[in-house]
Amino acid sequence: MNIQRLRQLLCLLTTTNYSNRRIAQLVGISPNTVRTYRRKRRETAVTLAELEQDSDDQLLNRFHLITSTASIKRQPDWAYIHQLMQDKHQTLIQLWEEYRSIRPADALCYSQFTHWYRQYVKSIDVSMRQYYAPGEVCFVDFAGKRIAWTEPQTGETHYAEMFVGVMGYSQLVFAKALRSQKLEEWLEAHQAMFTYLGGVPQLVVPDNLKSAVNRPGKFPEVNHSYQELAEHYGFVIDPARVRRPQDKSLAEIGVLLVTRWITVVLRRRRFFSVAEINQAMAELLEQLNQRPFKRYLGNRRERFEQTERAALSAIPNQPFDIGRWLHLQKVNRDYHIYVHGHAYSVPFELTGLTVDVKVCQNKVEIYFHHKLVAVHLRSDVQGGTTTENSHRPKSHQAYAAQSKAHFTQWATAIGEHALALVSAQFDGVPDYSLQGCKACSKLQKLARQYGHSRFERACQCACEIQSLTVSSVRSILQCRLDEPAGDVTPVQGQLPLHHNVRGARYYFDGGQ
């Protein structure tokens, strides 16, 4: 019998002269029960005023309806037991065996031990009801259950991760299927969520996954890319405490709802891409948000549209470039840094220093002291190099500019024969041949040493004798074979007479 019926019964027994059968009909109990309580009331001789002042426990004790909890069994220190249970790998059965070994005669059996421990935990495990203002907070998390999809070309099976976001005030649910829980997917899911909501909340509460938090703890270190997204959209990141699901209780509820009403339904279907999963989720997600509340009027969609949408901040017009940060990357002696196996150049003045790199989907941004110093198109070529010419020193720029086109332009300004010599160095080799560039560099050195006029004449001579090599041009210049015949100094035909000059007769006579 519950306490309300007991009070009604005692009131009728005290204030009326109804028979036991009539009172039994009014209270809904048997006449024998009425007879028993009539006898107990006479024995206790209690008045109606005293009965009204008694609490429920006092009233039950007065009529001996509460069985005494006094027991001959020895009760353990439940607070101490609970403290020990917080240690890793600690089990309740081990603590019970330790408790029982002290004095087995008056110890609780294991079932009673676990029962009273659960009752103790319930008495101390209380939750505080949280109140959230419209547009104040959004809880995000990944669901445990995933949806399978098949690669059409290979037939390989993959599993899509389920990203879930729940608004604090309206409890509007957002869900999106992702390929993985990697940083790029995590940030894209946030962008899609803000687009779905039509605005940005003041606060986002994530779990401590690696894409959100680098190092959890009392003062968590938020991932740099995630923090950059927050600064772009204007919200604050407040990660939940480690192993404190109550900090994101609405996210846990949202995950449960998405699993029940979306994931379980879609797992009975076969998909061939993540895009197909998201397309199928759209209708089910809207049905979930339009399901009526059980405890108050309306549904999540109505509550969001009526009150919370207007409280959200506007989405920035400029899109956010999603990227992964690589910090403290040292610049090599060749003024390049390696990003995922590909080398990118930076200004040569930064050689030996460290820079920060943001790897976006289509570009690579390089920062030095929070200042952008280089931007390159992203390349997936392993072992490749992307170099901007302005990042090189002047000497390196000149050397890097060496090619057939470069030397051809130089030779054209000198003359047709110099052009013929340059073209001959690249016969049968690529335009950027190291061998051809070295030969042309030597030709440039000869042109600077002997002048353009003599160099052009020397090249003409080389063309006439069909020896289009650097050594031929050098020999012609050194022997002055390029000079005109009229300008040659006349050679003396006969030696002048002199007493020191020995003729043929001297040697004919044996040196006499």
Side-chain angles (χ1 to χ4, degrees):
M1 182 187 302
N2 58 41
I3 191 65
Q4 288 78 15
R5 285 189 176 182
L6 177 59
R7 289 188 179 276
Q8 183 183 5
L9 170 61
L10 294 176
C11 181
L12 293 173
L13 291 175
T14 307
T15 59
T16 67
N17 293 323
Y18 291 162
S19 64
N20 293 341
R21 187 174 297 277
R22 176 58 177 165
I23 293 176
Q25 293 175 350
L26 294 175
V27 178
I29 57 178
S30 66
N32 288 334
T33 303
V34 177
R35 185 178 300 105
T36 301
Y37 278 95
R38 188 185 293 275
R39 176 178 52 79
K40 289 182 177 182
R41 192 191 66 81
R42 289 173 181 170
E43 293 175 355
T44 57
V46 62
T47 63
L48 182 60
E50 293 175 342
L51 293 176
E52 292 177 350
Q53 292 179 358
D54 286 346
S55 65
D56 292 346
D57 289 341
Q58 291 174 341
L59 187 62
L60 294 174
N61 282 324
R62 188 185 293 274
F63 289 92
H64 310 290
L65 297 180
I66 295 183
T67 305
S68 176
T69 57
S71 173
I72 60 173
K73 300 295 183 180
R74 173 171 49 89
Q75 293 289 323
D77 185 354
W78 295 118
Y80 178 67
I81 295 293
H82 184 66
Q83 180 181 354
L84 294 178
M85 282 297 295
Q86 306 310 307
D87 295 338
K88 191 175 182 180
H89 303 306
Q90 179 64 66
T91 60
L92 204 58
I93 190 170
Q94 186 273 329
L95 294 177
W96 172 74
E97 290 178 353
E98 183 178 332
Y99 148 80
R100 186 175 180 274
S101 64
I102 298 174
R103 200 164 59 244
D106 59 350
L108 294 170
C109 65
Y110 181 67
S111 61
Q112 286 295 307
F113 185 86
T114 56
H115 167 75
W116 290 114
Y117 176 72
R118 288 194 298 268
Q119 295 299 317
Y120 173 78
V121 172
K122 289 180 180 179
S123 67
I124 62 173
D125 187 16
V126 294
S127 299
M128 178 180 176
R129 178 174 290 274
Q130 299 290 333
Y131 297 93
Y132 306 107
E136 178 185 4
V137 62
C138 178
F139 300 89
V140 293
D141 199 1
F142 278 107
K145 299 294 183 180
R146 302 178 296 174
I147 299 177
W149 63 279
T150 305
E151 187 74 36
Q153 289 77 15
T154 63
E156 185 178 358
T157 301
H158 305 276
Y159 291 90
E161 303 286 346
M162 300 297 293
F163 174 87
V164 179
V166 182
M167 292 300 298
Y169 176 79
S170 63
Q171 299 183 27
L172 186 77
V173 178
F174 168 79
K176 181 178 175 64
L178 306 175
R179 285 180 173 270
S180 66
Q181 296 188 14
K182 292 183 179 179
L183 176 64
E184 292 79 5
E185 302 279 351
W186 171 259
L187 300 182
E188 287 180 5
H190 279 72
Q191 288 184 307
M193 180 179 67
F194 297 147
T195 302
Y196 179 80
L197 298 175
V200 182
Q202 302 173 15
L203 185 70
V204 173
V205 180
D207 204 352
N208 288 276
L209 72 162
K210 268 295 183 182
S211 297
V213 179
N214 291 335
R215 185 174 63 249
K218 186 175 182 180
F219 302 101
E221 178 186 337
V222 178
N223 185 286
H224 191 170
S225 299
Y226 193 26
Q227 183 62 43
E228 190 178 27
L229 176 77
E231 293 173 359
H232 179 82
Y233 281 95
F235 66 88
V236 177
I237 302 173
D238 185 18
R241 294 175 296 174
V242 179
R243 298 179 182 177
R244 293 294 186 272
Q246 63 268 26
D247 288 359
K248 52 181 181 62
S249 57
L250 286 182
E252 302 294 336
I253 295 175
V255 166
L256 180 63
L257 292 174
V258 169
T259 302
R260 285 179 175 176
W261 298 100
I262 297 179
T263 305
V264 172
V265 177
L266 296 183
R267 291 179 77 174
R268 296 194 292 265
R269 298 170 55 180
R270 188 177 183 186
F271 298 96
F272 296 94
S273 68
V274 176
E276 287 186 9
I277 298 176
N278 285 317
Q279 185 177 1
M281 283 175 55
E283 182 179 355
L284 296 176
L285 180 62
E286 198 56 34
Q287 292 177 3
L288 171 60
N289 286 322
Q290 291 182 4
R291 290 182 62 83
F293 285 121
K294 290 184 177 180
R295 292 176 179 162
Y296 41 87
L297 299 176
N299 55 52
R300 292 174 172 82
R301 173 59 66 182
E302 292 176 353
R303 188 177 176 88
F304 175 78
E305 297 294 343
Q306 292 172 2
T307 308
E308 195 159 31
R309 179 184 287 275
L312 298 176
S313 302
I315 299 177
N317 296 326
Q318 184 178 2
F320 175 74
D321 289 331
I322 294 177
R324 182 184 293 270
W325 282 92
L326 303 175
H327 295 286
L328 302 178
Q329 301 296 305
K330 187 175 181 179
V331 181
N332 298 323
R333 291 183 60 190
D334 60 356
Y335 45 88
H336 282 71
I337 59 172
Y338 283 90
V339 178
H340 301 323
H342 191 89
Y344 298 91
S345 67
V346 299
F348 72 94
E349 294 88 353
L350 301 178
T351 301
L353 303 177
T354 56
V355 295
D356 298 325
V357 184
K358 182 180 181 182
V359 185
C360 303
Q361 184 175 5
N362 299 317
K363 63 181 179 178
V364 174
E365 299 177 350
I366 304 173
Y367 292 82
F368 178 69
H369 289 176
H370 203 63
K371 181 180 179 181
L372 182 65
V373 294
V375 179
H376 298 281
L377 291 176
R378 183 174 177 179
S379 175
D380 296 327
V381 179
Q382 294 291 313
T385 304
T386 301
T387 306
E388 186 176 331
N389 193 46
S390 62
H391 293 164
R392 297 185 173 107
K394 294 296 184 182
S395 59
H396 291 195
Q397 292 182 24
Y399 184 82
Q402 294 181 353
S403 65
K404 182 179 180 180
H406 169 74
F407 290 111
T408 299
Q409 182 181 5
W410 166 77
T412 303
I414 296 177
E416 59 177 342
H417 299 97
L419 179 61
L421 259 293
V422 168
S423 299
Q425 310 311 311
F426 289 95
D427 286 345
V429 296
D431 290 354
Y432 288 88
S433 168
L434 181 61
Q435 177 184 354
C437 290
K438 283 186 176 181
C440 291
S441 297
K442 294 178 181 179
L443 291 176
Q444 283 185 327
K445 185 177 180 180
L446 292 174
R448 289 193 298 270
Q449 182 179 355
Y450 292 99
H452 288 181
S453 298
R454 287 197 62 191
F455 178 75
E456 172 64 16
R457 291 197 302 268
C459 290
Q460 182 179 358
C461 293
C463 292
E464 290 174 355
I465 64 175
Q466 296 184 357
S467 180
L468 304 179
T469 62
V470 177
S471 58
S472 296
V473 176
R474 182 186 297 109
S475 178
I476 291 171
L477 290 170
Q478 289 176 348
C479 296
R480 307 181 72 87
L481 298 179
D482 61 299
E483 295 182 353
D487 297 339
V488 178
T489 304
V491 180
Q492 184 178 353
Q494 186 178 1
L495 293 175
L497 296 176
H498 194 279
H499 67 279
N500 285 333
V501 177
R502 301 168 183 174
R505 188 69 184 175
Y506 173 83
Y507 294 99
F508 181 78
D509 295 336
Q512 299 297 326

